[in-house]
Amino acid sequence: MTSPATPLLHHRLDGPADAPPLVLGPSLGTSLAVWEPQLAELTRTHRVLRFDLPGHGGTPTDVLPSPGAGGTTVAALARLVLDLAGHHGWSTFHYAGISLGGAIGAHLAVHHADRIASLAMICSSARFGEPAGWRERAATVRAHGTAAMAQATPGRWFADPGTAAGPRGSGLLADLAAADRAGYAACCDALAGYDVRSDLWSVAARTLVVAGRQDSATPPAHAREIADGIPGAALVEVAGAAHLAGVERPDAVNAALRVHLDAATAGR
């Protein structure tokens, strides 16, 4: 168990208390609400924990030890997830993450393999492009806030403009607008320094990789690289979906997660 003084990520628990634990990691700019379309399905068989990234949703930026420019890594974010699991007494847990949330899962599967019962990476990557682009975005947001991301984000997150304009899409875009600039920028710094391409071979956990076919942020080639690198990984490509595939095409993503988690929980 962690100390009462240990700062914890804001989180919510749903599902049967005695069911296998499943941790869900969100993408940059969103909150734990990004997993709402999966919640009813996943809580049938798992104790589901959703968390907010630093500076997002209900998590303050100051959970980070060094939120200033260049001070945050994916390893630091993964440590916060391990602290959260420890707080709930979970020695092992299933993990699924979207984009940056998926990167956290990959880091855990590489460096804390004994804690990860299974891994799902949704619209994620082993490396999110050139570090300079993320450092530039971090500097822009530190100077101007997340409003600087408002124009480009709907088209990046959603293939269908109608999804962005609907209640779920507009709610997630409101989460982006409300994100703390320092926390968002710190997460960009983490993405700048992230690269697990040479470590994929070492992932022993059963792994599912999901790609949105219209995803410009992490195109399907990124998913194929992960699936090719992790022994035995399964790959599912979802048509009609961009970066937030689980929001646009929940039935397809839910079905892929169900097959993956059923097999992992049964030890097949």
Side-chain angles (χ1 to χ4, degrees):
M1 301 289 284
T2 55
S3 160
T6 301
L8 293 174
L9 297 166
H10 174 255
H11 61 286
R12 292 182 187 172
L13 285 166
D14 296 280
D18 59 350
L22 168 62
V23 177
L24 302 179
S27 58
L28 176 68
T30 69
S31 71
L32 51 73
V34 74
W35 284 104
E36 287 288 346
Q38 283 67 56
L39 198 59
E41 175 66 26
L42 297 179
T43 53
R44 291 194 302 106
T45 54
H46 287 77
R47 180 66 162 167
V48 174
L49 184 155
R50 296 175 293 157
F51 66 86
D52 286 325
L53 292 163
H56 296 64
T59 298
T61 297
D62 61 13
V63 300
L64 292 169
S66 302
T72 298
T73 62
V74 168
L77 299 177
R79 171 44 57 189
L80 291 171
V81 172
L82 290 176
D83 289 344
L84 201 53
H87 174 77
H88 291 287
W90 298 346
S91 58
T92 61
F93 50 93
H94 300 273
Y95 185 94
I98 306 163
S99 195
L100 174 54
I104 293 169
H107 179 91
L108 290 169
V110 169
H111 297 285
H112 302 276
D114 59 323
R115 306 294 301 276
I116 302 302
S118 72
L119 171 66
M121 298 178 67
I122 300 171
C123 296
S124 193
S125 186
R127 179 178 183 262
F128 291 83
E130 292 297 326
W134 290 106
R135 295 189 185 111
E136 181 180 350
R137 187 189 294 196
T140 298
V141 170
R142 283 190 171 97
H144 304 291
T146 57
M149 302 293 106
Q151 184 172 354
T153 296
R156 201 163 43 227
W157 281 1
F158 307 113
D160 179 2
T163 307
R168 189 154 277 153
S170 60
L172 290 169
L173 290 166
D175 286 337
L176 170 64
D180 175 66
R181 64 179 66 191
Y184 183 101
C187 289
C188 291
D189 290 334
L191 287 168
Y194 166 80
D195 186 349
V196 295
R197 290 175 296 176
S198 64
D199 300 315
L200 293 174
W201 66 270
S202 68
V203 175
R206 177 182 290 274
T207 300
L208 168 68
V209 185
V210 176
R213 286 187 181 159
Q214 281 70 53
D215 185 0
S216 62
T218 52
H222 289 231
R224 294 184 200 116
E225 181 178 40
I226 298 169
D228 288 345
I230 296 177
L235 173 62
V236 173
E237 294 188 17
V238 179
H243 197 51
L244 298 187
V247 175
E248 285 201 292
R249 294 292 181 266
D251 289 348
V253 173
N254 290 356
L257 286 168
R258 171 54 47 219
V259 170
H260 166 69
L261 288 167
D262 283 352
T265 303
R268 296 197 299 269

